[in-house]
Amino acid sequence: MGREKERMLAGEAYDPTDPELAADRRRASDRCRRYNATAATEVDRRERLLSELFGEVRGDAVVEPPFRCDYGYNVGVGDGFFANYGCVFLDAAPIAFGENCLLGPGVHVYTPTHPIDPDERATGEEFGEPVTVGDDVWVGGRAVITPGVEVGDGAVVAAGAVVVDDVPARTVVSGNPAEEIRRVGGAETDSSGTTD
């Protein structure tokens, strides 16, 4: 393993144009292309390709094509994982999903980030900050989870939310930037939508 890949995996500043990292991204792109070309009836083939693409698949996982990622080997998903059409994972750092996570269409998860200082940014180096999503999380369509965020167990990220801060367990967040709008659980809701 080369120096730049070691630096990337350690969460340090690295050069994304490094030949080894570029080759890893091409390999992931090819695996995504092959996965995206499968038919819905090719369940076994999809499972095999997903296990080759992701670093860890614990149990049943469904990813609806098209799907894109940078490396794949930094992605881990738990049992009961479901990602709807058009999801994108930029996995310069680990992206970890717990069990029974549901992602709506077009969810984007980003780990790479760049220096704020323009002179430092001009060097072309970047670094990654991991994203962790707990068990039983629902992320609505077109939501974006940014570098370094942790989403707690049982949380809900509303459609279109841009998550820039950690999300506590059993909360619902919405907006840009996402803010807590309510807690999950406690009161019972009847069919009319009122709470007891």
Side-chain angles (χ1 to χ4, degrees), residues 30-193:
D30 181 63
R31 288 178 175 165
C32 286
R33 180 192 55 76
R34 288 187 288 136
Y35 186 87
N36 292 336
T38 61
T41 55
E42 296 179 279
V43 176
D44 291 342
R45 183 169 182 235
R46 281 187 177 180
E47 287 178 2
R48 180 180 53 78
L49 290 169
L50 203 60
S51 69
E52 291 173 5
L53 178 62
F54 286 174
E56 184 176 23
V57 178
R58 299 179 312 276
D60 293 328
V62 175
V63 176
E64 295 288 356
F67 170 78
R68 295 296 305 259
C69 65
D70 274 343
Y71 299 98
Y73 51 66
N74 279 328
V75 177
V77 299
D79 189 33
F81 178 79
F82 176 81
N84 214 323
Y85 308 106
C87 290
V88 175
F89 298 168
L90 302 186
D91 60 315
I95 297 174
F97 289 94
E99 295 186 356
N100 303 313
C101 289
L102 306 175
L103 277 59
V107 169
H108 286 206
V109 180
Y110 307 143
T111 66
T113 189
H114 307 273
I116 298 298
D117 181 271
D119 294 329
E120 290 179 36
R121 193 167 54 248
T123 68
E125 286 192 334
E126 62 185 33
F127 56 97
E129 296 180 3
V131 169
T132 305
V133 179
D135 296 335
D136 304 306
V137 172
W138 174 22
V139 182
R142 304 301 282 175
V144 175
I145 300 176
T146 63
V149 165
E150 292 186 23
V151 179
D153 293 346
V156 176
V157 176
V162 178
V163 183
V164 299
D165 293 311
D166 291 351
V167 177
R170 301 185 65 79
T171 60
V172 180
V173 298
S174 180
N176 180 5
E179 295 181 354
E180 183 178 329
I181 58 172
R182 63 180 254 203
R183 301 285 299 167
V184 175
E188 296 287 330
T189 303
D190 67 23
S191 60
S192 68

